Amino acid sequence: QVQLVESGGGLVQAGGSLRLACAASGRTFSTYLMGWFRQAPGKEREFVAAISRSGGSTDHADSVKGRFTISRDNAKNTVYLEMTSLKPEDTAVYFCAVDQRGWVLSRSPNEYAYWGQGTQVTVSS
């Protein structure tokens, strides 16, 4: 079983920055592929970024590429999402998620079995 605790969401002006963190329980964090997703009201859950077990490989959605960066610190059992140049369309609930069995990075939420509670990011214009 995996439990995830997210932090760092909030209200920010367009052009600003936020750093989200997701701390995972357990002693096998380094075996997990990790992902970030977001969901706006009335919209489907959308892939944001994913990272390999070692952190050596990442994948970012085109909508956030160049602005958002996923990273992880396995010693702290934590994955991060650094968000810069935020836009109003980035407003959503952001979720971190765990893919325990995957061998390649996935953009599909169906591949992720465990999810955090979500943290609200609101970008004003």
Side-chain angles (χ1 to χ4, degrees), residues 3 11 15 23-24 31 38 52 54-55 84 96 98 100 102 108 113:
Q3 293 180 328
L11 175 64
T31 71
R38 65 187 183 186
S52 64
S54 68
T84 63
C96 63
V98 173
Q100 288 182 302
S108 172

Side-chain angles (χ1 to χ4, degrees), residues 40-107:
K43 302 293 185 180
E44 294 293 309
R45 191 160 296 186
E46 177 188 24
F47 170 78
V48 176
I51 190 165
S52 64
R53 292 172 170 86
S54 68
S57 297
T58 62
D59 183 29
H60 297 81
D62 289 343
S63 59
V64 306
K65 194 170 297 181
R67 300 187 299 118
F68 292 10
T69 303
I70 189 172
S71 63
R72 69 192 297 162
D73 186 341
N74 287 344
K76 297 180 179 178
N77 277 22
T78 302
V79 62
Y80 303 94
L81 185 68
E82 183 73 31
M83 305 185 294
T84 63
S85 301
L86 282 161
K87 306 174 181 179
E89 57 258 43
D90 295 319
T91 295
V93 177
Y94 283 71
F95 301 89
C96 63
V98 173
D99 177 4
Q100 288 182 302
R101 294 184 290 274
W103 291 91
V104 297
L105 301 182
S106 177
R107 295 186 171 192

